Amino acid sequence: MNQPTPTDVDVNQLVADNDTGGRAPGPWMSRFLLYLAIAWSLFQLWIASPLPFTLGVFVFNDTESRAIHLAFAVFLGYMAYPAFKRSPRTYVPVTDWVFAIVGAFCAAYLFLFYRELSTRPGQPTDMDVYTAAVGMVLLLEATRRVLGLPMVIVALVFLVYTFGGPYMPDMIAHRGFSLNRAMSHQWLTTEGVFGVALGVSSGFIFLFVLFGSLLDKAGAGNYFIKSAFALLGHMRGGPAKAAVLSSAATGIISGSSIANVVTTGTFTIPLMKRVGYRGDQAGAVEVSSSVNGQIMPPVMGAAAFLMVEYVGIPYIEVMKHAFLPAIISYIALIYIVHLEALKANMVGLPRRGTATPGSRLLSFALTLTGFFALAGAVYWGIGWIKDVAGDAAIWIVGVGLLAAYVGLLRFGARQPELALDDPNAPVFELPETGPTVKSGLHYLLAVVVLIWCLMVEQMSPGLSAFWATMFMIFVMLTQKPITAAFRGQGQLGEATRQGFMDLVDGLATGARNMIGIGVATAAAGIIVGTVSLTGVGLVMTELVELLSGGNLMLMLVLVALISLILGMGLPTTANYIVVSTLMAPVVVELGAQSGLIVPLIAVHLFVFYFGLMADVTPPVGLASFAAAAIARADPIKTGITAFAYSMRTAILPFLFIFNTQLLFIGLTGPFHLILTVTSAVVAMLVFAAATQGYFVVRSRWYESLALLLVTFTLFRPGFWWDMVYPPYEQVPASRMSELIEAAPANTGKRLWIEGTNLNGDDIRKGVLLPLGPQAPARERLASAGVSVVAQGDELLISGVKFGSRAEKLGMEQGFRIVSAEVATERPPKEWMFLPAVLLLLVVMGLQRLRRPRKGSAQPVGGSAA
């Protein structure tokens, strides 16, 4: 493919083409599309709110909601995205009108004829089949326009496989399906296009994207960028560190890597170049930090919400498991840009004002202390109010939130208004830290509302996002007139009108940002439907096992490569759906056969991380293209540099597969938590130093190898410890009853099972069977869905409950439980940290000996001290 040069790329047009469509029709059509986008946002807010059930009107079930959701996405897809590069952009051709109307009708078919379809399940009429077939074609065409050809090719491959089963090689052959059966399954049920993925897009993702859009339009994006520069811009390589911090913050707002790059990069990249970073380095820093915005809780990328359904755990659990890898990834990136600044002997940007470092430190400490004191007072205060006031607590808390909002606006109104300076201006001074941070603290209230609903009230993600979005709507309508009143500026009517127009713009932008996700989840449903219809998932297990030779590490490398290759053409969400549907069960199954019990969330995060990496990887990483255009650098070189910086993100999935403590799984107490977090942070910093070839001074090759060894040991101490002290011992199944009864409540027991499955394959694998509360052994096994009878030294599985955890673990009637694994008494594996730290100190000592003394000639690069 012909790659555009930096001067050929208009970054704003790149964002428009990829995120919201590149069409800009006349005023009448623009107004129509604006109203339609707002209608979509209002519909999503309605179905997420308690009002339909409270009032008993316009109540839609999940299937109807998904159909209307897709109808909006398809219609707006044809309206906003031209068919080809040469297609008109200033008006909508008649053909696009026809495709949009017919496509929206086919998508809404399940809603329009829901009652009739429910009376004849599995018996489609000719009209049903024709509608499904036409809808499938128009969905694929909308997908091609919005997401590009690769997603369409992947979907077509699976459709061809559905019909061409008898003609496939023996290993993947199946009996094939008729047009009636395939279209009915894909379009008229919730197994295909209208499946779980589209349901999550309708129920969760839209509201979080809308929340981010409103937060951005309210001015939070500008606030995050300015605050990051005020806090970090004066340090060595300060603009790069500020870029990392601001991109992490704007990741809360934007679910798009490209939009995140452009939003922050337009300001940060010129400043990075000013202090000494090369163009490709400046672009790469922005790309690496922007892409990682999707792994940062509390508002992660769209794929994270799909994990809620696919893994079957609450969103708060997904956040908990993703927190540590995201944090250490960002810490490592800040350290990488610090090392680059040291190597080039860079300085920071000049500060505005004359405050001393001591006074700034004191101010920061007081602010931090006040924040924690306020957070504690709010948490315990609200808990006390709920205990005392009962049902009336919600009104009291609401009044307190309103008072906090008005108080923070009054506090912020005393500060100067925030406006982004020109980063290309000859003289650029950093904004004052105190006034900048104080000016927009009310934006954080919206994030606090979201986190409170998710983590404290434990509402569903959809309802949490609804209340956070409603708070943001209130903020957008009131912040400008209230601030104007506090500043004595007058013109309250004009300020109110501006706030209303910002709200309208935010509602429309949120909907347009959802077009790509809506069609992506629907098109990915074709792959999911094919898997459920043909059983190709079992075939994939055999195929990957054959290619990897049963080696788990090789199989993980294959999964990573598949994610990267598919990610070159698919957006992150679609990539995650495809790869997790096909490969997640394979990783779990092959891991179990090799004795490694891999939690399902670890596998899904593995796929998620490598799907994100595809936005960075050349030659098709669009985020790298956008950054290169701003930096006026070569896009391929920018992508390669960004990939090198992102290696810290690429190694994490391999590590948390084998050491699930990085996901906060299996921790035994506060000390273990602190030790895990500390060792992970140190390990990631050491890895950054090893890959950058610079620690205290420039590293020699053997020092870099030693640092990599330290990294591996700190991340996975069990690898070495298991060689000395086996972690488990095999216990005959005849002792199963006493082991199960003695196990603590709500824990799991590691079992080895053998047997011949329904396909005639001999199976031997390990499973972690969950056990409920303390009870006799048979009751605890029954709670997991399995019943057994004694057979010599083994237990014969006499029954497996349908849909139970035991069935999902692959246990079948007739299998035998041959042994159990009991943890051995051994010293903690964390003792391996001692030789790792000792080796780290040796490398540090060797490098300090080479560090120039004060007064001697200082080589370029300086010192890390």
Side-chain angles (χ1 to χ4, degrees), residues 527-543:
I527 289 94
V528 178
T530 302
V531 171
S532 63
L533 184 63
T534 63
V536 69
L538 296 175
V539 176
M540 288 299 296
T541 303
E542 297 175 3
L543 183 60

Side-chain angles (χ1 to χ4, degrees), residues 270-550:
L271 292 177
M272 282 190 266
K273 292 178 67 177
R274 174 175 295 191
V275 298
Y277 289 96
R278 298 192 313 266
D280 63 293
Q281 288 178 325
V285 169
E286 185 57 52
V287 169
S288 301
S289 52
S290 294
V291 168
N292 276 17
Q294 295 186 61
I295 66 174
M296 176 61 74
V299 183
M300 300 167 65
F305 300 105
L306 290 162
M307 289 184 204
V308 173
E309 297 296 324
Y310 286 172
V311 182
I313 61 176
Y315 182 64
I316 186 174
E317 289 291 312
V318 176
M319 289 167 50
K320 182 187 80 171
H321 297 313
F323 179 76
L324 182 57
I327 288 295
I328 62 178
S329 184
Y330 269 108
I331 290 174
L333 184 56
I334 289 178
Y335 188 51
I336 286 172
V337 300
H338 176 69
L339 293 176
E340 292 285 10
L342 286 174
K343 286 190 282 186
N345 204 22
M346 299 178 193
V347 296
L349 293 171
R351 277 187 179 276
R352 214 177 275 164
T354 58
T356 64
S359 63
R360 292 193 186 104
L361 183 62
L362 178 62
S363 175
F364 178 75
L366 290 174
T367 303
L368 198 62
T369 303
F371 173 78
F372 283 115
L374 180 62
V378 169
Y379 181 82
W380 297 111
I382 291 179
W384 178 79
I385 291 171
K386 290 171 70 175
D387 291 337
V388 173
D391 293 339
I394 185 66
W395 300 104
I396 299 173
V397 172
V399 171
L401 180 65
L402 178 61
Y405 169 64
V406 175
L408 288 175
L409 278 181
R410 182 178 180 82
F411 188 58
R414 299 173 183 171
Q415 317 304 325
E417 292 189 55
L418 282 184
L420 278 179
D421 299 329
D422 181 6
N424 295 303
V427 178
F428 183 93
E429 289 183 334
L430 293 174
E432 278 292 328
T433 305
T436 302
V437 173
K438 294 172 185 175
S439 64
L441 290 174
H442 64 284
Y443 295 125
L444 301 181
L445 283 179
V447 182
V448 169
V449 169
L450 176 64
I451 295 174
W452 183 272
C453 291
L454 278 171
M455 302 186 68
V456 180
E457 300 296 336
Q458 296 191 358
M459 297 179 182
S460 68
L463 192 57
S464 299
F466 168 76
W467 288 118
T469 303
M470 294 306 295
F471 181 76
M472 273 310 306
I473 291 174
F474 172 74
V475 168
M476 296 189 75
L477 291 174
T478 59
Q479 68 168 348
K480 287 188 175 179
I482 293 176
T483 301
F486 283 142
R487 286 177 172 160
Q489 295 173 338
Q491 298 182 331
L492 298 186
E494 176 61 20
T496 303
R497 189 190 70 82
Q498 289 180 1
F500 179 77
M501 295 308 298
D502 287 342
L503 173 61
V504 168
D505 192 15
L507 290 171
T509 302
R512 292 186 68 139
N513 287 340
M514 272 301 299
I515 297 172
I517 296 175
V519 297
T521 50
I526 297 172
I527 289 94
V528 178
T530 302
V531 171
S532 63
L533 184 63
T534 63
V536 69
L538 296 175
V539 176
M540 288 299 296
T541 303
E542 297 175 3
L543 183 60
V544 173
E545 185 176 11
L546 179 66
L547 292 174
S548 65

Side-chain angles (χ1 to χ4, degrees), residues 584-709:
V586 180
V587 176
V588 173
E589 181 68 19
L590 293 186
Q593 291 180 17
S594 62
L596 178 69
I597 299 175
V598 184
L600 196 55
I601 182 64
V603 181
H604 281 261
L605 283 172
F606 183 96
V607 173
F608 181 34
Y609 268 57
F610 278 100
L612 289 174
M613 289 291 292
D615 278 348
V616 177
T617 312
V620 198
L622 292 177
S624 296
F625 271 87
I630 299 170
R632 300 189 177 278
D634 179 73
I636 299 298
K637 187 176 181 181
T638 302
I640 292 172
T641 307
F643 186 80
Y645 289 168
S646 299
M647 283 301 295
R648 75 205 189 285
T649 306
I651 69 160
L652 277 172
F654 287 98
L655 294 167
F656 62 58
I657 286 285
F658 293 97
N659 182 11
T660 55
Q661 290 173 1
L662 295 174
L663 304 179
F664 292 156
I665 297 174
L667 300 181
T668 56
F671 177 75
H672 198 184
L673 170 65
I674 294 170
L675 189 61
T676 299
V677 172
T678 304
S679 62
V681 171
V682 172
M684 188 52 77
L685 294 178
V686 173
F687 178 76
T691 52
Q692 290 299 301
Y694 196 102
F695 189 32
V696 178
V697 293
R698 293 189 183 275
S699 300
R700 292 170 179 166
W701 67 268
Y702 54 85
E703 292 172 337
S704 294
L705 285 179
L707 291 176
L708 289 174
L709 181 60

Side-chain angles (χ1 to χ4, degrees), residues 596 654-662 672 675-676 679 683 709-728 824 826-836:
L596 178 69
F654 287 98
L655 294 167
F656 62 58
I657 286 285
F658 293 97
N659 182 11
T660 55
Q661 290 173 1
L662 295 174
H672 198 184
L675 189 61
T676 299
S679 62
L709 181 60
V710 170
T711 301
F712 180 78
T713 304
L714 291 176
F715 270 131
R716 198 186 166 196
F719 179 82
W720 311 109
W721 209 237
D722 292 350
M723 295 180 181
V724 182
Y725 299 100
Y728 298 100
T824 56
R826 65 173 189 166
K829 62 184 178 182
E830 285 75 15
W831 282 110
M832 283 302 304
F833 291 166
L834 292 180

